[in-house]
Amino acid sequence: MRDVASVGISVIKMEKVLLLLAGVSVLYALDNGLGRTPPMGWNSWERFRCNVDCDNDPENCIGEKLYMQMADRMAADGYKDAGYEYVNVDDCWMAKERGPDGKLQADPKRFPSGMKALGDYIHSKGLKFGIYEDFGTQTCGGFPGSKFFMETDAQTFADWGVDLLKLDGCYSNIEDMTSGYPIMEFFLNKTGRPILYSCSWPAYFVAYKKIPDYKAIAKSCNIWRNYDDIQDSWDSVTEIVNYYAKNKGNFFEVAGPGSFNDPDMLIIGNFGLSRDQQRAQMAMWAIMAAPLLMSADLRKMDPYSKSILLNKDVIAINQDPMGQPGSIILDMNQIQIWFRPVMPKGSAAFAVLYTGSYGTPEKLSLKCETLGMVGPGGYNVTEVFDGRYVGMFKSADNINITVNPSGVFLGKAVYLGN
Ligand code: GLA
């Protein structure tokens, strides 16, 4: 057994734990009343990409049928009841040209009923309708962008009953984003329809090696992409987690109700992750207070993946009403410890992530302080995925934890000192 207790409190960023416990107030949130907890839903991009070949692949192409079927599955298979609500159309939904009136139009062959009808269908299932556009002249997939049409597009989306807009940043000048993204926020607000605003603005700054102004971003956007697109692999998940661990630009500090970092979609239920890796992605997205946007074929989910996506206790951590994201407090030899304050007051969720692949589970003995359990009153600790009670611990006690290779131990420590 590896004894990490001896590493002790000195290596952890103690100030960070205390600040997190104190509940640093968030002054920057976009005040449209939306996204008080991280939004949950489904997005087509990671799994279905820009497949426009409805002639040869009618089941999987970007068209109204796909979104209607996903809405059906979300409503019937327990996803909606678990909190997943947005059905998000991503890129490649449009016709190649705007209409004669300058308005965006859906591809008529793939969306024969039109976007308003699709929105109505999604709403009829008790779900919300998300759509994708781009800040520049074209979307990343080469369809008409919003540049010079922002007011028209905001109104078109409101007329269609859109509830979420993801505004990407391909084919644009990043210098324009600082003024331009807030202008779209203004036009969205002007429609009078509450539309959750998802911005890719910081991800483009990061791609150009510039530090984004996260305070400004959090003022205008409900969620924002900080980094590269997720792909269907463990390497991609760990690359993203490692990026967030660095917190470059202090983006975790501006997050809170109404404003959340978006490390991109959940790839649980696809081809690239083992069972442990799927748990690890879900755990880390819960700890980071990330939007839970599934991108998998809900018509073909295997029961294990589905059970992870529907795990109520993990979702409860993600949706904690304080909306305070966690952060990394220890990073050592492929073991990362992340800590997130959650309700009831003084309690915490913690993730022990083992990113390595040294084929046998790691057995760790960790001093509770090292996991962020610093309160004098003691904690009841539960392993979250299986709901297994681990025991009652004081901060000076050691806790024994086993973590599988490329896996996670997700714990909830309920504070007993209130
Ligand atoms: C960018 C975004 C992705 C997706 C694609 C669509 O790469 O980051 O999430 O929307 O564009 O083309």
Side-chain angles (χ1 to χ4, degrees):
M1 182 174 299
R2 194 155 123 188
D3 190 342
V4 189
S6 56
V7 175
I9 205 81
S10 60
V11 296
I12 72 167
K13 296 177 183 105
M14 203 56 217
E15 330 79 68
K16 191 180 271 180
V17 173
L18 293 171
L19 264 179
L20 285 167
L21 283 172
V24 189
S25 62
V26 177
L27 304 170
Y28 311 107
L30 168 60
D31 196 16
N32 60 4
L34 301 172
R36 305 306 295 170
T37 59
M40 296 172 64
W42 182 91
N43 180 302
S44 49
W45 181 256
E46 199 291 321
R47 175 61 180 78
F48 294 96
R49 307 285 168 153
C50 192
N51 177 357
V52 292
D53 188 4
C54 289
D55 289 337
N56 294 306
D57 196 5
E59 288 303 308
N60 300 300
C61 66
I62 298 303
E64 63 186 32
K65 198 170 139 200
L66 181 72
Y67 298 98
M68 290 163 77
Q69 289 184 348
M70 292 304 154
D72 292 346
R73 298 276 51 87
M74 279 171 71
D77 296 349
Y79 298 99
K80 180 184 154 210
D81 291 342
Y84 294 92
E85 58 176 347
Y86 290 94
V87 179
N88 294 344
V89 176
D90 207 276
D91 203 353
C92 307
W93 61 269
M94 294 174 208
K96 281 281 183 186
E97 306 289 340
R98 288 176 179 270
D101 51 3
K103 291 187 184 166
L104 290 169
Q105 43 191 4
D107 181 279
K109 192 167 166 200
R110 293 181 285 117
F111 292 85
S113 316
M115 295 317 259
K116 168 89 172 66
L118 178 59
D120 289 347
Y121 185 83
I122 291 169
H123 292 145
S124 77
K125 297 277 160 184
L127 298 164
K128 291 187 171 148
F129 175 31
I131 210 161
Y132 168 100
E133 237 297 12
D134 191 283
F135 176 68
T137 51
Q138 290 178 50
T139 72
C140 298
F143 294 82
S146 263
K147 190 165 183 181
F148 309 124
F149 291 92
M150 284 204 283
E151 185 168 14
T152 307
D153 292 351
Q155 193 54 53
T156 303
F157 297 147
D159 294 344
W160 288 345
V162 162
D163 305 297
L164 176 153
L165 170 66
K166 170 176 170 182
L167 192 65
D168 209 342
C170 274
Y171 300 103
S172 72
N173 192 337
I174 66 161
E175 270 81 56
D176 297 341
M177 289 182 173
T178 307
S179 56
Y181 269 85
I183 291 174
M184 182 55 113
E185 177 210 356
F186 174 81
F187 288 134
L188 290 174
N189 286 340
K190 192 164 168 248
T191 67
R193 184 174 176 85
I195 298 178
L196 192 140
Y197 189 26
S198 162
C199 302
S200 301
W201 168 12
Y204 285 85
F205 268 64
V206 168
Y208 283 96
K209 309 226 171 318
K210 293 200 178 336
I211 307 271
D213 177 355
Y214 282 107
K215 289 181 188 169
I217 289 160
K219 263 191 199 154
S220 284
C221 307
N222 292 113
I223 59 174
W224 53 84
R225 284 278 308 280
N226 309 60
Y227 190 61
D228 292 351
D229 292 1
I230 198 160
Q231 310 296 340
D232 194 0
S233 74
W234 176 241
D235 279 355
S236 176
V237 171
T238 50
E239 188 188 324
I240 290 172
V241 169
N242 288 335
Y243 181 79
Y244 280 75
K246 292 193 204 97
N247 190 18
K248 207 169 168 192
N250 295 326
F251 46 78
F252 278 129
E253 278 71 356
V254 301
S259 315
F260 292 102
N261 296 286
D262 178 6
D264 212 0
M265 289 159 257
L266 295 170
I267 55 168
I268 295 161
N270 290 329
F271 311 101
L273 299 185
S274 72
R275 290 185 160 213
D276 281 285
Q277 292 164 353
Q278 293 180 62
R279 282 189 171 200
Q281 192 194 16
M282 191 74 182
M284 294 313 300
W285 265 233
I287 291 280
M288 293 191 288
L292 297 180
L293 297 172
M294 308 177 284
S295 190
D297 189 344
L298 301 180
R299 301 164 301 191
K300 297 179 185 160
M301 292 298 283
D302 78 273
Y304 183 80
S305 303
K306 190 175 167 193
S307 75
I308 293 173
L309 290 164
L310 295 184
N311 186 301
K312 285 192 169 47
D313 297 317
V314 185
I315 291 173
I317 293 170
N318 176 270
Q319 295 289 301
D320 182 78
M322 288 194 295
Q324 224 184 307
S327 60
I328 191 165
I329 57 173
L330 182 139
D331 191 359
M332 195 187 65
N333 301 339
Q334 302 185 312
I335 300 281
Q336 297 183 4
I337 298 179
W338 288 69
F339 170 90
R340 177 176 179 188
V342 295
M343 294 294 283
K345 197 164 164 272
S347 306
F350 62 90
V352 182
L353 177 70
Y354 176 29
T355 56
S357 53
Y358 189 69
T360 197
E362 275 281 321
K363 291 187 171 54
L364 304 169
S365 175
L366 295 162
K367 189 169 257 193
C368 286
E369 282 179 341
T370 314
L371 296 164
M373 290 185 247
V374 293
Y379 296 84
N380 263 336
V381 176
T382 310
E383 189 286 323
V384 179
F385 279 103
D386 298 321
R388 184 172 50 83
Y389 179 64
V390 183
M392 206 278 272
F393 297 89
K394 297 268 190 185
S395 56
D397 293 341
N398 267 32
I399 183 167
N400 295 332
I401 281 172
T402 302
V403 199
N404 293 344
S406 63
V408 77
F409 179 100
L410 180 65
K412 171 127 183 231
V414 175
Y415 189 49
L416 302 171
N418 288 319

